[in-house]
Amino acid sequence: MFDIGFLELLIIGVVGLLVLGPERLPKAARTVGLWIGKTKRTVANMQREINAQLEAEDLRQKLSEQEKKLNEGLDKARREVESYADTPGAKKARPEASPDGTVASGGDAQIQHAEARTGIAHAEPAEHEPVAPPTPSSSTADDKDYPSR
């Protein structure tokens, strides 16, 4: 900080002794020491705050860079999905494998996957037979115990 040697300190001490006298010199030296200590602490606190702000700014920049990379990756994936969904016959172009290892295309793969997962075979109605909606079951004794909402 300051380049003060022993000779300079000795000259300041002699001048202080002559100006202030032997009674007030120790009190003045103590006051000057307290001021110097406060100044050093203030400078150290300011340096710590500046370093913390610089580190926070560096982290913000890194976070911004990572966010940009992530957004670019998401945009790329979104474009690929949209281009795949926009192409005609996309389901038939890529066969999907079911858990049992067979390959099917389009909706057949989803049906086979559901069959393999649940163990229930899917029965498709014939083209000439209309599909009737399920009929509501008659009320049982349990239904009478609870009022309808």
Side-chain angles (χ1 to χ4, degrees), residues 16 23 29 32 43-44 54 58 61 63 77 88 92 105 116 118 121 123 125 139 146:
E23 297 152 0
V32 169
V43 169
L54 290 174
D58 187 38
Q61 287 177 353
L63 181 63
K92 294 183 180 181
S105 64
T118 61
S139 63
Y146 300 105

Side-chain angles (χ1 to χ4, degrees), residues 138-148:
S138 63
S139 63
T140 61
D142 293 335
D143 291 340
K144 293 177 184 174
D145 293 340
Y146 300 105
S148 61

Side-chain angles (χ1 to χ4, degrees), residues 77-91:
R78 185 179 299 124
R79 284 191 303 269
E80 288 177 4
V81 168
E82 287 174 354
S83 67
Y84 180 72
D86 290 342
T87 58
K91 288 184 178 178

